Amino acid sequence: YGKVGSSDILGILPNGKFIAVECKREKGGVVSEKQKEFLGMIVKNQGVAIVANSIESLQEKLNGII
């Protein structure tokens, strides 16, 4: 259930911004067109959209945001 293409993790950051995290495996993980559209919608509305292939890459991307 849910919107086709919606990210794996959704939430609100401490600064009040919406965040969407799309989780992909390190090798062969591909972001679908629907997922790209969803992430684009988040960014268009001043949210944060991240594609992460490990907890380390997620932490690295979050460092400049929170």
Side-chain angles (χ1 to χ4, degrees):
Y1 59 90
K3 181 173 174 37
V4 174
S6 65
S7 295
D8 300 305
I9 301 170
L10 304 173
I12 305 293
L13 294 170
N15 64 6
K17 286 194 174 197
F18 187 85
I19 184 170
V21 180
E22 184 60 42
C23 302
K24 294 294 176 189
R25 57 189 166 167
E26 288 191 60
K27 293 185 180 185
V30 177
V31 180
S32 74
E33 286 304 314
K34 291 287 186 184
Q35 291 168 330
K36 289 177 187 176
E37 289 173 19
F38 184 83
L39 294 170
M41 179 184 65
I42 299 304
V43 172
K44 180 181 172 189
N45 289 284
Q46 288 74 52
V48 176
I50 295 175
V51 177
N53 59 17
S54 69
I55 189 68
E56 293 81 15
S57 72
L58 177 59
Q59 288 173 326
E60 185 178 302
K61 292 173 182 182
L62 285 173
N63 278 339
I65 297 169
I66 58 172

